[in-house]
Amino acid sequence: MNLQELINKSVRELTDVHHSKYRYIPMYDKQLPSAQTLKEIIEVIREIVFPGYFGNPSVTENTVRYHAGVNTEKLYYLLFEQIYRALAFESNDANTPTIAKEKTFFFIERLPDIKRLLSTDVKAIYDNDPAAKSFGEIIFCYPAIKALLNHRVAHELYLSEIPLIPRIVTEMAHAETGIDIHPGATIGEYFSIDHGTGIVIGQTAVIGNHVCLYQGVTLGAKKFVLDEAGNPMDLPRHPILEDNVTVYSNASILGRITIGKGTIIGGNVWLTYSVPPNSRIIQTKAVEDKFVDGLGI
Amino acid sequence: MNLQELINKSVRELTDVHHSKYRYIPMYDKQLPSAQTLKEIIEVIREIVFPGYFGNPSVTENTVRYHAGVNTEKLYYLLFEQIYRALAFESNDANTPTIAKEKTFFFIERLPDIKRLLSTDVKAIYDNDPAAKSFGEIIFCYPAIKALLNHRVAHELYLSEIPLIPRIVTEMAHAETGIDIHPGATIGEYFSIDHGTGIVIGQTAVIGNHVCLYQGVTLGAKKFVLDEAGNPMDLPRHPILEDNVTVYSNASILGRITIGKGTIIGGNVWLTYSVPPNSRIIQTKAVEDKFVDGLGI
Amino acid sequence: MNLQELINKSVRELTDVHHSKYRYIPMYDKQLPSAQTLKEIIEVIREIVFPGYFGNPSVTENTVRYHAGVNTEKLYYLLFEQIYRALAFESNDANTPTIAKEKTFFFIERLPDIKRLLSTDVKAIYDNDPAAKSFGEIIFCYPAIKALLNHRVAHELYLSEIPLIPRIVTEMAHAETGIDIHPGATIGEYFSIDHGTGIVIGQTAVIGNHVCLYQGVTLGAKKFVLDEAGNPMDLPRHPILEDNVTVYSNASILGRITIGKGTIIGGNVWLTYSVPPNSRIIQTKAVEDKFVDGLGI
Amino acid sequence: MNLQELINKSVRELTDVHHSKYRYIPMYDKQLPSAQTLKEIIEVIREIVFPGYFGNPSVTENTVRYHAGVNTEKLYYLLFEQIYRALAFESNDANTPTIAKEKTFFFIERLPDIKRLLSTDVKAIYDNDPAAKSFGEIIFCYPAIKALLNHRVAHELYLSEIPLIPRIVTEMAHAETGIDIHPGATIGEYFSIDHGTGIVIGQTAVIGNHVCLYQGVTLGAKKFVLDEAGNPMDLPRHPILEDNVTVYSNASILGRITIGKGTIIGGNVWLTYSVPPNSRIIQTKAVEDKFVDGLGI
Amino acid sequence: MNLQELINKSVRELTDVHHSKYRYIPMYDKQLPSAQTLKEIIEVIREIVFPGYFGNPSVTENTVRYHAGVNTEKLYYLLFEQIYRALAFESNDANTPTIAKEKTFFFIERLPDIKRLLSTDVKAIYDNDPAAKSFGEIIFCYPAIKALLNHRVAHELYLSEIPLIPRIVTEMAHAETGIDIHPGATIGEYFSIDHGTGIVIGQTAVIGNHVCLYQGVTLGAKKFVLDEAGNPMDLPRHPILEDNVTVYSNASILGRITIGKGTIIGGNVWLTYSVPPNSRIIQTKAVEDKFVDGLGI
Amino acid sequence: MNLQELINKSVRELTDVHHSKYRYIPMYDKQLPSAQTLKEIIEVIREIVFPGYFGNPSVTENTVRYHAGVNTEKLYYLLFEQIYRALAFESNDANTPTIAKEKTFFFIERLPDIKRLLSTDVKAIYDNDPAAKSFGEIIFCYPAIKALLNHRVAHELYLSEIPLIPRIVTEMAHAETGIDIHPGATIGEYFSIDHGTGIVIGQTAVIGNHVCLYQGVTLGAKKFVLDEAGNPMDLPRHPILEDNVTVYSNASILGRITIGKGTIIGGNVWLTYSVPPNSRIIQTKAVEDKFVDGLGI
């Protein structure tokens, strides 16, 4: 078989639309949102929310309104196109352009509140980390702020019932920070994450104010219910964390349970039941073990 | 000391080939595979396997064969060069170009099967995640699919005994998704990963069909045996998971043990022994603890 | 409201400097270090430390000194500018350019020692991983080496009391590898990390020689002390690991405790007290549990 | 005046829409064709017309149809968008998308003929240049072929009455080659240009087959007629060159005159009247002149 | 000789600072203006002067002031740096930063007038070209406008006695359009150029209002005078063209002569003496010549 | 006809290998030199020849040898690959790699002499242009130096009988500067060009020392001789200019004639016969002409 034959054979097999196993894949004639443009959108939002830290470094208190104007206009055009694509991916409604415009307007009106929430997060992280030297260091360097900006943006888009984009936006943060927050999760003010790698927060989780999570914490589902067709049902199935809860590294909290306010959960705990306010939960004490073989454990 | 003297001094010290501690480093006159090109190769494979989702968005059922032809040809030239470099890095065999060509051909012939396996993974992830709205969302957004595409590609190259490239390919997915699957690991059909950050699957692990892993799960080695020269021996040392096993977040399963089919392992468990089919293993219940000091735990 | 009105309204709200919640954000008239240039700096250092593996592939034993000279000069100019910006961000001292120059000189003088330490790490990783086939594979592919190069560079800059840059450099490695080592952490020779995702090493941790950590390990703080103003105090609060300690996956070790030399800590353990040399610590054995409902656990 | 005041003053003056002199400039709310995309379109056409010389170098006689398919589809989407923009720039017709589609289809149908014409030009240039070593050298290196490809493409678009784009496309060639052919000019088969810099061919020029022009030749208008409103009228006003005419360097031929077939025009001639077939026209002989001063002339 | 020896030999010869012929070349320790940044500066000016045609396409009458503000600020920072470098290249004056700032301010204040002049040029070109369909087409496509924008910018910088930059800016236009106007040339309102390739306008040329030049026209020097040291003296040596002069293609007008107002100069003329107002000058009529040999002329 | 049918029809017609008019075009299975890489090669040579002006701006008298070493090595690898491709394009000789290596070595050995010649050109241009303020301005800004560097490089490669590359290199300069010098032309020391656009120098032209040409000058062929097969013969057919000749703008000098030393040729002259040393040749005086119609000429 020469190269030409190999190519012809591969083309034939790879484009065989009748192959039974391939049935999940066909996706033609629709234009998906562009991951590249969504990245650009997040950068523009970062410039708008944290002027001077990201984007044009020469911005001053006096020229900041020129930059805000140009960036907001740019955001409108970029975001409208992506929202339009995402809506068109799921429906052929003739009103899609109008709906896309309304949702884009609505999002831009929410920007000042997103900025307000993020500024509470910056404060909370500063208060919880003795290693932090300034607010600026947190805004500019900390992965938690990257992840929270993407989440708070994605959550607004999720509430507007825009398909695909919220998930792409949170996955961008997930890839960069290892923090995986589903866009559906509800998160209060002054939320702080330290280190963050491995954190998973599920779709229906509800988090109060002044909550702090460490790396590797899972707020997950314990099980899910199938509907009559045998598909998993999208019901509340992740934990509720009330105000002022702290969860240490690698703890797994699963199911629609409530962690009462002021509670502290120790690291590496596996928790599947509700606990009352101000609880203190830790793993059973580890044990000393004599090994038979030299190296292993 | 001025800048010129500093540079001269640094050059002298840094290029001192007799420095005893540097003895692991010299690597001259060989051309390593290019990480940049391997990234491009993965993108081409993504376009071939999931047309319309990645690469040219205008592909339709009718023009897909033009795209498949161009992409397969492109893949051949890109991959041949990299396989050639990897083989030449380890050996000076005069037949290297011929061997590289054969291995490239063989890989391209395996592409349809890689596509088939990935389509089963898409189905399995859809069935396990109530938050997933469509197959398309999984293909386009989910990190698990990124990691599995890289793994299934790397595993084929690993079976062809191509050095370096399999590992680079899986490390690319590791960096992007936090999912670290050694290219040697054997993975069956309908494999699903949820969230995925922190998952580690070792070189000699064997995973059946319809297995599901959550974030932070380790399928690792408990210990390893040294050969007579004192180097660690490359023997089977990672777990076997039979069909329909589910492992929850942050569980560590270590050693050449067998997890019987249908078993469910709870989160945060440390497991170093085999368990029979249909077992249910969870961590000892966490305890309530009264703290002496206010803040700590 | 039309687009123009929307933009004007958003600009007004977003640039409202009197909004009480925004008070943490203003950052004008200072030029922050450039993340893009710091990335370039790390690449230049990689070329200097591991010639042939990174950067120009044609380097040979004979021409390596030309490359080292050009790269060292380039490093000087790039790094000086960034150190200058970082110092100017925190102070308006008229001597800043002179200080920046001295610190840049000092860092370049430390490069040969950074190279020496990294070569011990390469050796240690090789000795601990049966899957590793060559030193070259480790240097070129393993995330641990990426993370350690950034750490050892950042640690030198941290010791020179340069603000911001050390943290940006380690966060770059964190984003790429999921390994989060604070630039303040002290790490000995022959340090090895396997897989690595989810590892967190705190600011005041002290790690001896020949220590080995697996994925998901946390060397964290248990609690912190507030000063009179209510801000957390920057005191030693992370563990000390003596020589030849091994810690398995997902273990959390917290507080200013000492893990005696030769100790092995099993996976998923939560450890908040010191242990003597040569200890063996593992999690309480997991339990078999009978479930009532089919799917859940 | 500080920087802020300077900026505010400049913004005020520069955006003063009532400034009488600025009245030619306003252009809002219309999206012009993208020069960048038109460049890409020309590159795609080059790949289609001269496969192997431009674009993917691996194309072979066997895979050329895959490339042609992908490139033609790509061309359709890129060109449709630009034609749509150009039409919308001049009119608000609701049928614009339909018309744009028809014109794009029509252009693609003309591609084989464009390819045919260009292949005659390659042959003609080869026959006229003793320095040319192969057809390939002409296709790959000669500016004349760049200019003619752009012209023959632009001329088809001009005949389809598409605004703006034809001119942008010929100006791209003009900038690169110094050859300025108006898209309206009619040019026969086997047209050859040597060197080419400074050639100007006007809008209503008509050139027969087997014509050859050297650098600096102008086929221009002598004068133009104003209409009643005082605007210049767009009438035939450039020369007609019959078959087998040759014009040497820097000759200027002006007005709606006819150069009979087989005529040769010498260099640096200024010609404003028709000449019969097979004429030989040269400049009056230059003269020897004695200068008074040493250096000047 | 192997590669290493070749390199060493070449380095030795190429860096031989005592080679007598190389004495014009050394240029160390100075930072030249960046051609790349000057290109960016011209693009910013284009956006400011012709909003909607260049740069952000979404600009509207309402948002144009945001864009003007951002672009003017950006222009300030980019231009200041380049002017500083150019001044420092020629002098070590301690006031250089202050002078650079003043010259940058002055240039920005001149921008509205540059815009006014260019709008007269657009009008003049439109009135002289029957092929032009709209003002927009001229602004967006015509090389004359590119060349005149660069010239009018460069001329202001030239009048401010900034070294190097004026010439680089006009050479950028020269490379793109083939129109070579020395930044020192004085050009009135409503200046039009048609086609333009090959036009040369010398340093001390003075051009009135409503002047029109065609391709290949030279306004050059006839001779120059040497000073006592034997270097050419920088005296007025190029022509003066009074108002409403037209010069056709390839005419050469040389020396400090005056072309009286309303004069028309025909193509390919060589003119070295002054002519009174309203003259009409053309080349001696070309002649018919009988050739002996078939092909030659 | 829908899009799919259009594409299929176009592909069929465009790839029709039997179309008689397309017979000049097929070019498969050969890899042409890369225009992009040749551009990079010219940039490397510019850095080597004019350190400090191009490439790394931080080069100093002390570090220049590091840069020269790295750049020379880089040049070797880049150029070898391109020379290899060019030779392989014309022949299948098994020795091609060896020959390519020899020719690359030989070129690098010629670099110091290319540098020497260019430094004489810089001096000559400085002496001929009253507007030039420094040698540096000429090296950095003047198109003549760009064109001459490319020519002197291309001429060496031409003398080594390397196909294609010399022409591509001179066409690069032609596109940028409008100066078209055939790589075969022989040019002495201290050659100066002013402005340059439109200059054409033919393949067999021979130019002495201290020659100066102005814009638009053609040194061309008058006619060419056909061989028995009817192809033009590659014989000496362009002028010889002896030492110290000056030619003014737009003059055309054609045929294998000799312009005696010290001669000055005026602008716009058409010259096809030899002239003795120290001649002064100018165009017949232009005439005053009364026009009948108002506007025309």
Side-chain angles (χ1 to χ4, degrees), chain D residues 289 297, chain E residues 220-222 239 252-259 269-275, chain F residues 266-267 282 285-286:
Chain D
D289 192 8
I297 56 175
Chain E
K222 200 166 60 181
S252 299
I253 304 178
L254 290 99
R256 190 53 164 192
I257 62 176
T258 298
I259 307 301
V269 160
W270 166 257
L271 188 63
T272 59
Y273 51 88
S274 293
V275 298
Chain F
I282 62 167
K285 194 169 181 256

Side-chain angles (χ1 to χ4, degrees), chain A residues 5-15, chain B residues 72 108-109 112:
Chain A
E5 290 160 357
L6 172 67
I7 291 173
N8 288 341
K9 174 168 169 287
S10 297
V11 168
R12 209 163 43 239
E13 291 176 17
L14 284 162
T15 61
Chain B
T72 308
I108 287 175
E109 288 195 272

Side-chain angles (χ1 to χ4, degrees), chain B residues 24-202:
Chain B
Y24 319 117
I25 291 180
M27 207 292 299
Y28 297 131
D29 291 325
K30 297 264 186 178
Q31 204 165 6
L32 283 164
S34 154
Q36 192 51 44
T37 304
L38 289 170
K39 213 164 216 162
E40 205 180 342
I41 284 169
I42 290 298
E43 276 162 23
V44 172
I45 293 174
R46 257 202 272 246
E47 291 188 39
I48 291 172
V49 170
F50 298 123
Y53 289 99
F54 301 102
N56 200 312
S58 68
V59 61
T60 64
E61 194 166 337
N62 289 312
T63 60
V64 69
R65 69 197 169 87
Y66 291 128
H67 291 274
V70 167
N71 279 327
T72 308
E73 189 191 37
K74 186 177 174 190
L75 174 61
Y76 172 77
Y77 286 106
L78 292 174
L79 187 57
F80 167 76
E81 165 80 10
Q82 299 305 309
I83 289 179
Y84 172 77
R85 288 186 185 189
L87 293 173
F89 179 73
E90 295 225 329
S91 119
N92 289 315
D93 190 333
N95 284 329
T96 304
T98 309
I99 299 171
K101 194 181 159 191
E102 283 168 11
K103 288 182 189 294
T104 311
F105 264 62
F106 184 72
F107 176 78
I108 287 175
E109 288 195 272
R110 295 289 304 139
L111 264 184
D113 201 52
I114 290 174
K115 177 169 175 168
R116 185 187 61 77
L117 282 167
L118 285 164
S119 68
T120 68
D121 299 333
V122 171
K123 174 76 169 100
I125 292 169
Y126 181 80
D127 287 346
N128 276 317
D129 185 357
K133 293 286 170 289
S134 66
F135 293 120
E137 190 185 0
I138 292 164
I139 293 171
F140 193 60
C141 314
Y142 277 45
I145 286 299
K146 281 188 202 168
L148 287 171
L149 185 139
N150 283 33
H151 172 70
R152 296 203 182 277
V153 165
H155 187 59
E156 286 297 335
L157 300 169
Y158 177 90
L159 293 178
S160 282
E161 302 190 335
I162 295 160
L164 285 173
I165 296 178
R167 182 67 188 245
I168 301 172
V169 166
T170 52
E171 281 302 338
M172 276 159 47
H174 184 193
E176 220 180 334
T177 66
I179 299 169
D180 180 359
I181 311 177
H182 193 284
T186 304
I187 299 180
E189 297 181 346
Y190 296 95
F191 182 57
S192 74
I193 284 176
D194 204 2
H195 309 295
T197 305
I199 283 179
V200 172
I201 301 176

Side-chain angles (χ1 to χ4, degrees), chain A residues 15-279:
Chain A
T15 61
D16 171 6
V17 292
H18 303 298
H19 192 302
S20 63
K21 289 284 186 189
Y22 291 2
R23 66 178 180 274
Y24 321 117
I25 292 180
M27 207 293 299
Y28 296 131
D29 292 324
K30 298 265 186 179
Q31 203 166 8
L32 283 164
S34 153
Q36 192 51 44
T37 305
L38 290 170
K39 212 165 217 162
E40 205 181 341
I41 284 169
I42 290 298
E43 275 162 23
V44 172
I45 293 173
R46 257 200 273 245
E47 291 187 38
I48 291 171
V49 170
F50 297 123
Y53 288 99
F54 301 101
N56 200 312
S58 68
V59 61
T60 64
E61 193 165 339
N62 289 312
T63 61
V64 71
R65 70 197 167 85
Y66 291 128
H67 292 273
V70 166
N71 279 327
T72 308
E73 188 192 37
K74 185 178 174 190
L75 175 60
Y76 172 77
Y77 287 106
L78 291 175
L79 187 57
F80 167 76
E81 165 78 10
Q82 299 305 310
I83 289 179
Y84 172 78
R85 288 186 186 190
L87 293 173
F89 179 73
E90 294 225 331
S91 117
N92 289 315
D93 190 334
N95 283 330
T96 304
T98 310
I99 299 170
K101 193 181 161 191
E102 283 168 13
K103 288 182 190 296
T104 312
F105 263 63
F106 185 73
F107 175 79
I108 288 175
E109 287 194 273
R110 297 288 304 140
L111 264 184
D113 201 52
I114 290 173
K115 177 168 176 168
R116 185 187 60 76
L117 282 167
L118 284 164
S119 67
T120 69
D121 299 334
V122 170
K123 174 80 169 98
I125 292 168
Y126 181 81
D127 287 346
N128 276 316
D129 184 358
K133 292 285 169 292
S134 65
F135 293 119
E137 190 186 359
I138 292 164
I139 293 170
F140 192 59
C141 315
Y142 276 45
I145 286 300
K146 280 188 203 168
L148 286 172
L149 185 140
N150 283 33
H151 173 72
R152 295 201 182 278
V153 165
H155 186 59
E156 286 297 335
L157 299 169
Y158 177 90
L159 293 178
S160 282
E161 302 191 334
I162 294 160
L164 285 172
I165 296 178
R167 183 67 188 246
I168 301 172
V169 166
T170 52
E171 282 301 339
M172 276 159 48
H174 184 192
E176 218 179 337
T177 66
I179 299 169
D180 180 358
I181 311 178
H182 193 283
T186 305
I187 299 180
E189 298 181 345
Y190 295 95
F191 182 57
S192 74
I193 284 176
D194 204 1
H195 310 295
T197 305
I199 282 180
V200 172
I201 302 176
Q203 179 185 10
T204 64
V206 178
I207 294 176
N209 299 327
H210 293 282
V211 168
C212 174
L213 304 185
Y214 285 83
Q215 64 274 15
V217 166
T218 293
L219 306 183
K222 200 167 60 179
K223 61 173 179 181
F224 49 82
V225 183
L226 300 183
D227 64 14
E228 293 174 3
N231 289 322
M233 292 176 70
D234 189 358
L235 301 173
R237 62 197 180 281
H238 301 95
I240 296 165
L241 271 62
E242 294 182 352
D243 295 353
N244 295 95
V245 166
T246 297
V247 187
Y248 280 82
S249 55
N250 298 326
S252 300
I253 304 179
L254 290 98
R256 189 55 165 192
I257 62 177
T258 298
I259 307 302
K261 63 172 139 173
T263 290
I264 297 173
I265 310 288
N268 296 67
V269 160
W270 166 256
L271 187 63
T272 59
Y273 51 88
S274 293
V275 298
N278 298 312
S279 300

Side-chain angles (χ1 to χ4, degrees), chain C residues 164-277:
Chain C
L164 285 172
I165 295 177
R167 183 68 189 245
I168 301 172
V169 166
T170 52
E171 282 301 338
M172 276 160 48
H174 184 193
E176 219 180 334
T177 66
I179 299 169
D180 180 359
I181 311 177
H182 193 284
T186 304
I187 299 179
E189 296 180 345
Y190 295 95
F191 181 56
S192 73
I193 285 177
D194 203 1
H195 309 294
T197 305
I199 282 180
V200 171
I201 301 176
Q203 179 186 12
T204 64
V206 179
I207 294 176
N209 298 328
H210 293 284
V211 168
C212 174
L213 304 186
Y214 285 82
Q215 65 274 16
V217 165
T218 293
L219 306 183
K222 198 166 60 179
K223 60 175 182 180
F224 49 80
V225 185
L226 300 183
D227 64 14
E228 295 175 2
N231 290 322
M233 292 176 70
D234 190 358
L235 301 172
R237 60 196 182 284
H238 301 94
I240 297 165
L241 271 61
E242 294 181 351
D243 294 353
N244 296 95
V245 165
T246 298
V247 187
Y248 280 81
S249 54
N250 298 326
S252 300
I253 304 178
L254 291 98
R256 190 55 165 191
I257 62 177
T258 298
I259 308 301
K261 63 171 141 175
T263 290
I264 298 174
I265 311 286
N268 296 67
V269 160
W270 167 257
L271 187 63
T272 59
Y273 52 88
S274 293
V275 299

Side-chain angles (χ1 to χ4, degrees), chain C residues 82-131:
Chain C
Q82 299 306 310
I83 289 178
Y84 172 78
R85 288 187 187 189
L87 293 172
F89 179 73
E90 294 223 331
S91 120
N92 290 314
D93 190 333
N95 283 330
T96 304
T98 310
I99 299 169
K101 193 180 161 190
E102 284 168 11
K103 288 183 189 295
T104 311
F105 264 61
F106 184 72
F107 175 80
I108 288 174
E109 288 194 272
R110 295 290 301 139
L111 264 184
D113 201 53
I114 290 173
K115 177 169 177 168
R116 184 189 60 77
L117 282 167
L118 285 164
S119 68
T120 69
D121 300 333
V122 171
K123 174 77 168 98
I125 292 169
Y126 181 80
D127 287 346
N128 276 316
D129 185 357

Side-chain angles (χ1 to χ4, degrees), chain E residues 106-173:
Chain E
F106 184 73
F107 175 79
I108 287 174
E109 288 195 272
R110 295 288 304 139
L111 263 184
D113 201 52
I114 290 173
K115 177 169 177 168
R116 185 186 61 76
L117 283 167
L118 284 164
S119 68
T120 69
D121 299 334
V122 171
K123 174 78 170 98
I125 292 169
Y126 180 81
D127 287 346
N128 276 315
D129 185 357
K133 293 287 170 289
S134 66
F135 293 119
E137 190 186 0
I138 292 164
I139 293 170
F140 193 59
C141 315
Y142 277 45
I145 286 299
K146 280 188 202 166
L148 287 171
L149 185 140
N150 283 33
H151 172 72
R152 296 203 182 277
V153 165
H155 186 60
E156 286 297 334
L157 299 168
Y158 177 91
L159 294 178
S160 282
E161 302 190 335
I162 295 159
L164 285 173
I165 295 178
R167 183 67 189 244
I168 301 172
V169 166
T170 53
E171 281 302 339
M172 275 160 47

Side-chain angles (χ1 to χ4, degrees), chain D residues 146-164:
Chain D
K146 279 189 204 168
L148 287 172
L149 185 140
N150 283 32
H151 172 71
R152 295 203 182 277
V153 165
H155 187 58
E156 286 297 334
L157 299 169
Y158 177 90
L159 293 178
S160 282
E161 302 191 336
I162 295 161
L164 286 173

